[in-house]
Amino acid sequence: MKQKLLFALAAIVLLLGFFLASRLHTDARQEETRQHTALNQANLLRMHSPTLGPAEASVVIVEFFDPACETCRDFYPFVKELMAAHPGQIRLALRYSPFHEGAGQVVRLLEAARRQNRYWETLETLYASQQNWVQHHSVQLDQVWAALQGTGLDLERARRDMEDPAIAAIIQQDMADARALRVERTPEFFVNGQPMPSFGRQQLRALVQEALRTGGN
Amino acid sequence: MNTAQHGTWNRLFLAWLVAAVSTLGALFFSEVMRLPPCELCWWQRICMFPLMLLLPLGLFPLDPRVVRYTLPLALAGWGFALFHWLLVLGLVPASAQPCRRGIPCGEVGIQWLGFLNLPLMSLLAFSLIIALLASTRQKVSP
């Protein structure tokens, strides 16, 4: 009996200690991230970023993403749903953090498509066919081109535009900003300058609702 | 329960405590602090995590034969920990590293007091568990 009590007590103490330490560590890290983001607001938005939604929207979602990232693909419709649920109130700005091998080329292609006014269509086509052109976390560029065949995008022109140094500069700036904001995983969202406390759909929804309530102030 | 059995129970319990603290510690580093475990860390985890679950089965009711099933795990884990520690110290050549996927095993993520790093803590934990488990074997037979 005494032994069972001893064992149960030890197990409870260990588990409680674990959860308490986790809690303290997570809280400290969240606070640290909040402060760090607050100090680096200049890195959040750039004039060159593609955006969706009205310029006067009170809520701005900044998303750092990688077109080759599965979770980014899964979150894309969710963000569009949030925007549709609050029409005219949310604006989405996309920033690049192509962490997957070869994803930089796909970002260049997206920027080239933007010059043909086919940015969002191309992004959606690429997300829809992502499984075909991402294999073992690395991009198969020929499969990317295959996916865009017959979508109305001028592929010859895109091939030329991709090499424009101006596009490379955009990616470099975004990667530098991602580093400054300590974006290490994708997607990473900031809502009106606030980082997500932890990763998840509910957390993003809560952050957006909070921003809608306070009217962007 | 006689005195010898009490002694055995206490040793198994202590071994479980070491395994439980090690397991929770490892989980804290990877799941809370988000330090990705390297490949050698995983091999040590494979040996350590089951001990936390297996040892209590030998405690209730007391079954000294649990040593038979847990000692091999502890010995294997000890070997991986020793190799890992020597690697971190630079005593094993880098070419012997079985690491992949960009998480170098030779990198010292955390170090306390100037020498206490994770592979050494793992080595100490496995050593303690082995000592406790092995000492029960002599006590069991009259």
Side-chain angles (χ1 to χ4, degrees), chain B residues 25-113:
Chain B
L27 289 175
F28 189 84
F29 286 125
S30 67
E31 303 311 304
V32 180
M33 294 181 72
R34 305 244 168 234
L35 296 170
C38 75
E39 192 143 328
L40 272 174
C41 303
W42 270 112
W43 286 105
Q44 288 161 73
R45 287 164 156 236
I46 286 166
C47 297
M48 183 64 83
F49 291 5
L51 295 179
M52 180 182 177
L53 299 174
L54 285 174
L55 285 169
L57 298 177
L59 290 175
F60 304 107
L62 177 65
D63 176 11
R65 281 168 63 91
V66 77
V67 173
R68 265 178 73 82
Y69 312 117
T70 47
L71 197 54
L73 276 171
L75 286 169
W78 187 86
F80 291 125
L82 178 70
F83 181 74
H84 195 181
W85 186 50
L86 293 178
L87 195 86
V88 167
L89 286 181
L91 295 177
V92 169
S95 59
Q97 277 193 58
C99 303
R100 274 170 293 163
R101 283 194 296 262
I103 308 160
C105 297
E107 194 177 86
V108 184
I110 284 172
Q111 188 145 300
W112 289 314
L113 310 171

Side-chain angles (χ1 to χ4, degrees), chain A residues 132-154:
Chain A
N132 298 335
W133 55 267
V134 180
Q135 268 147 34
H136 302 294
H137 302 282
S138 120
V139 171
Q140 315 291 315
L141 205 58
D142 46 337
Q143 294 298 314
V144 175
W145 290 110
L148 293 173
Q149 206 69 249
T151 56
L153 191 70
D154 181 343

Side-chain angles (χ1 to χ4, degrees), chain A residues 3-4 7 14 18 22 29, chain B residues 1 9 16 20 24 32 60:
Chain A
Q3 289 171 333
K4 278 187 183 152
F7 180 80
L14 284 178
F18 182 81
S22 306
R29 201 174 46 183
Chain B
M1 207 182 265
W9 194 91
W16 171 77
L24 291 177
V32 180
F60 304 107

